[in-house]
Amino acid sequence: MAIIETVIVPTHGQGLYEFTDEAKDFLARADIGTGLLTVLVRHTSASLLVQENADPDVVRDLNAFFARLVPPANDPSMAYLVHRLEGPDDMPAHIKSALTQVSLSIPVLDGRMMLGRWQGLYLFEHRDRPHRREIVLCASA
Amino acid sequence: MAIIETVIVPTHGQGLYEFTDEAKDFLARADIGTGLLTVLVRHTSASLLVQENADPDVVRDLNAFFARLVPPANDPSMAYLVHRLEGPDDMPAHIKSALTQVSLSIPVLDGRMMLGRWQGLYLFEHRDRPHRREIVLCASA
Amino acid sequence: MAIIETVIVPTHGQGLYEFTDEAKDFLARADIGTGLLTVLVRHTSASLLVQENADPDVVRDLNAFFARLVPPANDPSMAYLVHRLEGPDDMPAHIKSALTQVSLSIPVLDGRMMLGRWQGLYLFEHRDRPHRREIVLCASA
C-alpha cells in the first residue's frame, strides 16, 4: 500500500532549493523497505531536478543558463508571448517547467534512495516572488 | 497487481492536447485506491507534459517557444541535421521529445491524481500531419 | 516486492548509448509479470532518454543539437559559467542533464516493456572522457 505525504518548500525567488533531507525523513517514516519513491511538484511554474549538491556554483550556473535560454517576457526576443497575466516571469516559468521535470521516480533499497554520491533532489523555482511550493512524496513497496 | 490500458489521442498538427479526463476515467475503472499512475507515450516524435489548463494561451505560448528553440530542418540554422527522412518536422520532433518527457509518474490518493489545481496532462504533438498517438496508462497500488 | 539491480554502461565520449537489451534481460530475471520498470541514472553529468533506435542518424543529430544549445564552457557565449572544476565539458554536462531525464518509468505487461515499436532506452553521456555509468533498474509488480 502506497504512503503519501505533502511537504512544503518555501522559496524566495528563482533558483534551486534542495529537499533531499525532507525526502529521507519521509522514507524513514514510511518504512517501506525496498520499493519506489515518486515525487510530484503540484505547480506549473516550478519544477524538479536531480542535480549535484557538492559545489553550490552548479545550481547557480543552472539557474543562469535557464534565465538566458528563456528570458523574461519583457525581453524583445520574447515579444511573441501572449500569456502575461502575472508579469514578465509568468510564461517563462511555464516554459522552464516544461524543459525540466514535474515528477521524479527514485528506486529505494532498504529504506534509502539509490541516488548517486553527488545527487540531491531540488525544487526549481521559476517565479520571482516568494512562494510556498507543495511537493507530493509517494512511497510504494 | 498493476492495471494497464492504452488510450488513443488523435492529433492534427503541432501543439498540446489535454488527456486529463481520459486519465481520470481510467483511474475510476482501475479502482486502485491509493498508489501510482504511470503514463508513457509510445512514440519518439510526440511527448508528455504536465501544464496549466486554465488559460489556453499557456499551451499556445509553449508551442511557440519550442518552435523557435528547435526550428524546422529547412531553416538555415538547422543545416547540420542529417536525419530528414520524413520532412522538415521529423528530426525537430525527436529533439523536442528529448527536451520534454516520455513518461510521467503521478501519485494517486483515494483514486484521485494528486495534481495541483491548475495542472493538466498533455500530449505534446511535434509532427505536422494528423496522428493517432498511443498513451499507456498504468495504475499500481 | 521490488527487485533492484545496477547495470554499468561504459562510455567513451559524448553521445547516446543504448541499453534496451540490458533492461530486457533484467526484466526476464526479475520475472514480475505486469508492473513497472523504473530507471535511474546515478550521475549528474549523464542522463536518460527514450528515443528512436531505427536510424542511427537520430541519436547523432540529437547529440549535435545539444552541443549547440549548450556549448562548452570555453565558448565565449558561456563566459558566465562559474563551475569549471573539471574542464569545459563539466558544467554543460550538468545543464544537458537538467534538460533531459534522470529517471524513466516504463509500464511492463507480461514481462515486456510497453515501449513503442521504434523506442529504445539510452544513456546520454555528456562528458568527453570515458566513464563507467551506473544505471539502477527497479522492477515492481
Side-chain angles (χ1 to χ4, degrees):
Chain A
M1 172 89 173
I3 295 163
I4 292 177
E5 280 188 22
T6 301
V7 298
I8 304 291
V9 176
T11 66
H12 44 274
Q14 297 187 32
L16 284 87
Y17 298 81
E18 188 167 10
F19 64 95
T20 314
D21 285 344
E22 285 83 346
K24 285 180 186 169
D25 291 348
F26 164 70
L27 285 174
R29 285 192 298 274
D31 194 24
I32 56 157
T34 292
L36 194 62
L37 172 67
T38 304
V39 187
L40 173 74
V41 62
R42 303 187 75 203
H43 306 275
T44 61
S45 57
S47 54
L48 300 174
L49 283 181
V50 173
Q51 268 294 336
E52 179 181 314
N53 61 4
D55 178 1
D57 288 339
V58 169
V59 297
R60 186 168 57 181
D61 282 350
L62 274 170
N63 195 46
F65 173 83
F66 280 91
R68 281 160 177 79
L69 184 64
V70 194
N74 50 8
D75 186 280
S77 69
M78 303 301 275
Y80 65 88
L81 294 179
V82 176
H83 177 80
R84 295 166 177 270
L85 289 175
E86 299 178 36
D89 62 336
D90 183 358
M91 192 59 220
H94 296 301
I95 295 171
K96 291 174 194 168
S97 165
L99 287 166
T100 50
Q101 330 283 308
V102 293
S103 66
L104 299 171
S105 301
I106 314 289
V108 173
L109 183 65
D110 295 335
R112 293 176 57 187
M113 291 184 278
M114 292 206 67
L115 293 173
R117 184 173 177 182
W118 309 112
Q119 287 182 312
L121 305 183
Y122 287 90
L123 174 79
F124 197 173
E125 175 60 70
H126 304 302
R127 301 300 306 270
D128 293 329
R129 279 183 300 182
H131 282 83
R132 288 172 61 79
R133 297 304 196 174
E134 293 179 34
I135 293 175
V136 178
L137 302 173
C138 174
S140 48
Chain B
M1 173 91 173
I3 295 163
I4 292 179
E5 281 188 22
T6 301
V7 297
I8 304 292
V9 176
T11 64
H12 44 275
Q14 296 187 31
L16 285 87
Y17 298 81
E18 188 167 10
F19 63 95
T20 314
D21 285 346
E22 284 85 344
K24 284 181 185 169
D25 292 348
F26 164 70
L27 285 174
R29 286 191 298 274
D31 194 24
I32 56 157
T34 293
L36 194 62
L37 171 68
T38 304
V39 188
L40 172 75
V41 63
R42 302 187 75 203
H43 307 275
T44 61
S45 56
S47 54
L48 300 174
L49 283 181
V50 174
Q51 268 294 336
E52 179 181 316
N53 60 4
D55 178 1
D57 288 338
V58 169
V59 297
R60 186 167 58 181
D61 282 349
L62 273 170
N63 195 46
F65 173 83
F66 279 92
R68 282 161 177 77
L69 185 65
V70 194
N74 50 8
D75 186 282
S77 70
M78 303 301 275
Y80 64 89
L81 294 180
V82 176
H83 177 81
R84 294 163 178 272
L85 291 175
E86 298 179 35
D89 62 336
D90 182 358
M91 191 60 219
H94 295 301
I95 296 171
K96 291 174 194 168
S97 165
L99 287 167
T100 50
Q101 332 283 307
V102 293
S103 67
L104 299 170
S105 301
I106 313 289
V108 173
L109 183 65
D110 295 334
R112 294 176 56 186
M113 289 184 280
M114 291 205 68
L115 294 173
R117 184 173 178 183
W118 310 113
Q119 287 181 312
L121 306 182
Y122 288 90
L123 174 80
F124 197 174
E125 174 61 70
H126 304 302
R127 301 301 305 271
D128 293 329
R129 281 183 299 182
H131 282 82
R132 289 172 61 78
R133 298 304 197 173
E134 292 178 35
I135 294 174
V136 177
L137 303 173
C138 173
S140 48
Chain C
M1 173 90 173
I3 295 163
I4 292 178
E5 280 187 22
T6 301
V7 299
I8 304 292
V9 176
T11 65
H12 45 273
Q14 297 187 30
L16 285 87
Y17 298 81
E18 188 167 9
F19 64 95
T20 313
D21 286 345
E22 286 84 343
K24 285 180 185 168
D25 292 348
F26 165 70
L27 284 174
R29 286 190 298 276
D31 193 25
I32 56 158
T34 293
L36 194 62
L37 171 67
T38 304
V39 187
L40 173 74
V41 62
R42 303 187 75 204
H43 307 275
T44 60
S45 57
S47 54
L48 301 174
L49 283 181
V50 174
Q51 268 294 336
E52 178 182 315
N53 60 3
D55 177 2
D57 288 338
V58 169
V59 296
R60 186 168 57 181
D61 283 350
L62 273 170
N63 195 46
F65 173 83
F66 279 92
R68 282 161 177 78
L69 185 64
V70 194
N74 49 8
D75 186 280
S77 69
M78 302 301 274
Y80 65 89
L81 294 179
V82 177
H83 177 81
R84 294 164 177 272
L85 290 176
E86 298 178 35
D89 62 337
D90 182 358
M91 192 59 220
H94 295 301
I95 296 170
K96 291 174 193 168
S97 164
L99 286 166
T100 50
Q101 331 284 307
V102 293
S103 67
L104 298 171
S105 302
I106 314 289
V108 173
L109 183 65
D110 295 335
R112 294 176 56 187
M113 290 184 279
M114 292 205 66
L115 293 173
R117 185 173 178 182
W118 309 112
Q119 286 182 312
L121 306 183
Y122 287 90
L123 174 79
F124 197 173
E125 174 62 70
H126 304 302
R127 301 301 305 269
D128 293 329
R129 280 184 298 182
H131 283 83
R132 289 173 60 77
R133 297 305 196 173
E134 293 179 35
I135 294 174
V136 178
L137 302 174
C138 173
S140 48

